[in-house]
Amino acid sequence: MDWITNWLANSAIVQDIITLAKPATFNLYFALISIPLGFPFAMLLALGKNSKNRILSTLSKAYIYAFRGSPLFIQFFMFYSFALSLNRSLWKPWGIDEIVLHPLFLGPLVLVLNTSAYAAEIFYGVMRTVPNGQIEAARAIGMNRWQEFWSVTWPNTIRLAWPAYTNEVVFLFHATALVYFTLPVINDQKDLMNKAGELFEKDYNVFLHFSVAALYFVAISMFIFFTFGLVQKYLSRHIRKEERQKFRFKPNYMR
Amino acid sequence: MIESIIESLVNLLGEDWRAGLEYITNGKHMMWYASIRFTLIAAIAGAAFAVLFGLLGAALKQSAIAPLRWIGSFYVNIVRGVPDVLFFLFFPLAFEQFVEYIFSRTRCTAEEIASNAGSWPPCDAAQWYLEGNDYLILACVSFGIVYGAFAANVIHGAMQAVPHGQLEAAQAYGFTKKQVFWRFKVRQMWTYALPGLSNVWMLLLKATSLLSLLQIADIVLWADRLGAPNYLARAGMVHPDWRWKYYLVLFVFYILMTMLSERVFDWLQRRANRGMVEVN
């Protein structure tokens, strides 16, 4: 057993895995905050785009188009510089400048704005394919619009959109790598890319450090696919086995 | 020429506009506008490489030889499984070190390598100095590799979608396997691949905003420089922090590029669908 402990203590890969464990929690933090906040916002945007109210649908459409049509990298810079320019007139007098300008606040904010546009497009696309017969049935038994949404549109949308939404979540997790390229790094609050870059500058071993960072990203992506796959199973438990949408473990990675 | 344009615009809009128009056409701003070329070159060359790597990846994925198939799947899955920015930074660094390693084999003595163990490069003679344009080429190849993995998936799916009867008919006419592949499968695949490839193009276009991470003076870097608070001893405060204005311009620029791309792809799709039976 000695050689195992020896190897573990001396192996550069193991050392890197240990060093990068804390930075990985920052990526996880950004994703874990943004996903639950982005989800309801995306649903509202999708309902907005689907609504018959012209103003509401135009606004939602424009929002979704703008945030899907521009790079997240630019969005980060833009919102950070917005926040900076409002610092003297708003945040400082209110005494909240340290919170608002903190990457741990601003990062998730921009990620939420971004991911909700992508997720809203997914939900919107699926909402239009909700089986018509079910909606007609709901109306025939006299449900009001709220009941119709809760008992037909919502559960169907979630179930049908889940595989694509899983993809979006993985993409969001990958997008967390951009946060600290655009926002200031405070103290030792570094994410995976930051820390890998820092380690690289010490010994120029690009293969080791970037591979270990990539390993973290792949491992956490796989974990997301696995847990979201379990949810998919739960969501389609009432459907006959043969008719279930097969949840592919390696879904289409297209955003 | 710019002066005459400003003159005519001032005549049209009034004297109040002169200062503003002169400001946005000064030397630095012209450099900013000119730096769009890096973005466009990276997008177009990156797309060309992506299609190339995509075809290669798709060919590997459906190869009859199992190890080649594994290489294809490994490439497609690993590159897509990590953030694009990670691979975008990794490839140029790794390529640089690879070249320096080859240099070191011929240019360094054994003693130098031994004394420099643990640091890079092994000796000064092996150092490879990269300049702006070298980074641009590396960035294009890097984009090609990353988005080639996405394209490989799209092309692979599109090749499966080509009706089998067509390929069988071609075989029946006596075309060789190679001819069937190139003249029928690849030619017909494009209509099925276009929606997916348009998606990959959009991703690539948005990823071109990352060029500044490789020290390329692209539109993002210039926007940051121009927007930063500008203080001149002679003139006093020229402008405070205007970065948000410049980033807003970039935000709109990318949205317009997306709109333009959508139109082009719509046109391409209509062209590719000529003579196809309209379904539904």
Side-chain angles (χ1 to χ4, degrees):
Chain A
M1 291 309 277
D2 251 12
W3 67 271
I4 293 179
T5 44
N6 259 335
W7 179 77
L8 281 177
N10 295 322
S11 157
I13 293 179
V14 175
Q15 284 306 315
D16 251 29
I17 290 175
I18 293 166
T19 327
L20 286 174
K22 192 191 155 208
T25 58
F26 280 90
N27 291 80
L28 278 173
Y29 163 83
F30 289 127
L32 285 177
I33 298 282
S34 318
I35 293 162
L37 292 176
F39 182 81
F41 187 35
M43 207 34 117
L44 289 178
L45 276 171
L47 283 172
K49 189 171 175 178
N50 205 16
S51 103
K52 288 197 181 71
N53 185 333
R54 286 277 293 280
I55 301 167
L56 200 62
S57 73
T58 312
L59 280 177
S60 313
K61 253 181 221 162
Y63 178 92
I64 293 170
Y65 196 89
F67 278 83
R68 289 180 78 232
S70 62
L72 176 62
F73 196 62
I74 302 286
Q75 288 163 21
F76 269 123
F77 277 131
M78 192 174 72
F79 281 97
Y80 181 56
S81 53
F82 269 145
L84 272 181
S85 67
L86 291 175
N87 190 23
R88 204 178 280 174
S89 57
L90 281 182
W91 321 131
K92 265 262 166 66
W94 293 351
I96 53 170
D97 53 321
E98 292 213 347
I99 301 169
V100 172
L101 295 177
H102 203 288
L104 293 183
F105 171 80
L106 213 53
L109 178 78
V110 180
L111 285 171
V112 166
L113 294 176
N114 181 268
T115 188
S116 53
Y118 284 97
E121 187 64 24
I122 294 169
F123 294 149
Y124 169 76
V126 169
M127 260 178 206
R128 300 176 70 87
T129 62
V130 167
N132 239 345
Q134 294 195 22
I135 292 177
E136 281 166 11
R139 285 182 192 162
I141 58 172
M143 285 188 180
N144 62 30
R145 284 182 62 185
W146 183 242
Q147 287 172 316
E148 181 194 313
F149 172 75
W150 264 124
S151 49
V152 179
T153 313
W154 158 263
N156 271 310
T157 303
I158 292 300
R159 180 173 57 82
L160 295 172
W162 201 254
Y165 182 68
T166 307
N167 247 325
E168 171 49 31
V169 169
V170 171
F171 259 110
L172 171 75
F173 179 65
H174 287 179
T176 61
L178 283 178
V179 175
Y180 279 116
F181 279 112
T182 47
L183 304 180
V185 179
I186 295 177
N187 302 330
D188 202 31
Q189 298 173 359
K190 289 185 171 131
D191 75 336
L192 280 170
M193 288 302 295
N194 263 151
K195 197 73 186 174
E198 188 195 293
L199 291 173
F200 164 74
E201 274 164 21
K202 272 184 197 148
D203 60 1
Y204 295 102
N205 196 340
V206 64
F207 290 94
L208 174 68
H209 304 312
F210 277 62
S211 301
V212 173
L215 194 73
Y216 267 106
F217 277 110
V218 170
I220 296 171
S221 304
M222 284 297 153
F223 178 73
I224 294 172
F225 280 135
F226 177 72
T227 45
F228 276 63
L230 291 181
V231 175
Q232 170 76 4
K233 235 184 202 164
Y234 175 79
L235 288 173
S236 47
R237 65 196 183 282
H238 60 288
I239 292 173
R240 258 180 285 144
K241 267 230 166 72
E242 313 84 67
E243 287 174 15
R244 265 184 213 169
Q245 227 182 342
K246 234 186 133 191
F247 190 84
R248 295 189 310 175
F249 204 64
K250 284 183 299 184
N252 194 5
Y253 274 79
M254 206 60 75
R255 190 171 189 172
Chain B
M1 192 191 89
I2 294 161
E3 283 81 18
S4 62
I5 294 173
I6 292 179
E7 267 328 303
S8 51
L9 275 174
V10 167
N11 286 336
L12 196 72
L13 300 165
E15 200 59 31
D16 296 349
W17 289 72
R18 182 182 292 278
L21 284 171
E22 274 172 358
Y23 179 71
I24 61 164
T25 52
N26 67 16
K28 276 192 171 177
H29 279 77
M30 294 319 260
M31 299 277 276
W32 183 36
Y33 308 141
S35 67
I36 293 175
R37 69 183 185 278
F38 296 123
T39 307
L40 296 179
I41 290 172
I44 291 164
F49 278 119
V51 170
L52 202 70
F53 283 112
L55 278 169
L56 194 73
L60 282 176
K61 258 185 105 169
Q62 51 190 310
S63 156
I65 307 156
L68 287 182
R69 232 174 19 241
W70 296 333
I71 293 173
S73 304
F74 182 79
Y75 163 58
V76 170
N77 288 320
I78 288 302
V79 173
R80 289 183 316 164
V82 301
D84 52 356
V85 61
L86 193 151
F87 204 84
F88 178 69
L89 291 179
F90 169 78
F91 173 74
L93 292 172
F95 187 75
E96 194 182 338
Q97 290 201 348
F98 174 70
V99 170
E100 284 175 343
Y101 172 75
I102 291 175
F103 282 172
S104 75
R105 296 298 292 267
T106 55
R107 295 185 189 172
C108 298
T109 57
E111 295 90 64
E112 277 178 325
I113 294 176
S115 66
N116 271 332
S119 72
W120 196 267
C123 70
D124 292 339
Q127 180 102 26
W128 184 32
Y129 292 101
L130 283 158
E131 286 156 16
N133 280 342
D134 302 335
Y135 274 116
L136 186 63
I137 294 167
L138 284 180
C140 292
V141 179
S142 208
F143 280 140
I145 295 174
V146 175
Y147 292 100
F150 288 81
N153 214 31
V154 170
I155 290 172
H156 181 69
M159 280 182 178
Q160 313 302 51
V162 173
H164 229 254
Q166 304 245 3
L167 305 179
E168 279 167 9
Q171 250 170 0
Y173 270 103
F175 284 96
T176 64
K177 257 188 161 175
K178 218 172 164 184
Q179 283 173 327
V180 171
F181 181 78
W182 284 110
R183 296 193 186 176
F184 295 85
K185 219 174 186 180
V186 172
R187 288 249 179 113
Q188 295 209 44
M189 157 212 92
W190 295 110
T191 45
Y192 302 101
L194 257 180
L197 288 181
S198 119
N199 233 328
V200 177
W201 165 257
M202 301 292 183
L203 288 176
L204 173 60
L205 188 67
K206 284 180 267 177
T208 56
S209 61
L210 300 175
L211 284 176
S212 56
L213 295 180
L214 285 183
Q215 299 154 34
I216 296 166
D218 74 331
I219 45 177
V220 182
L221 203 75
W222 272 108
D224 193 68
R225 281 185 199 165
L226 288 167
N230 193 351
Y231 180 84
L232 288 176
R234 187 157 43 81
M237 191 69 149
V238 179
H239 64 75
D241 192 351
W242 273 0
R243 269 176 293 187
W244 65 273
K245 293 185 185 175
Y246 286 88
Y247 285 125
L248 194 62
V249 170
L250 290 186
F251 185 67
V252 174
F253 167 75
Y254 271 103
I255 293 171
L256 291 178
M257 291 293 283
T258 304
M259 279 179 174
L260 183 72
S261 312
E262 267 182 0
R263 291 218 147 163
V264 171
F265 271 100
D266 275 351
W267 177 78
L268 277 176
Q269 187 72 59
R270 270 205 308 280
R271 231 186 109 74
N273 281 353
R274 281 173 315 167
M276 302 280 284
V277 182
E278 290 273 341
V279 189
N280 73 59

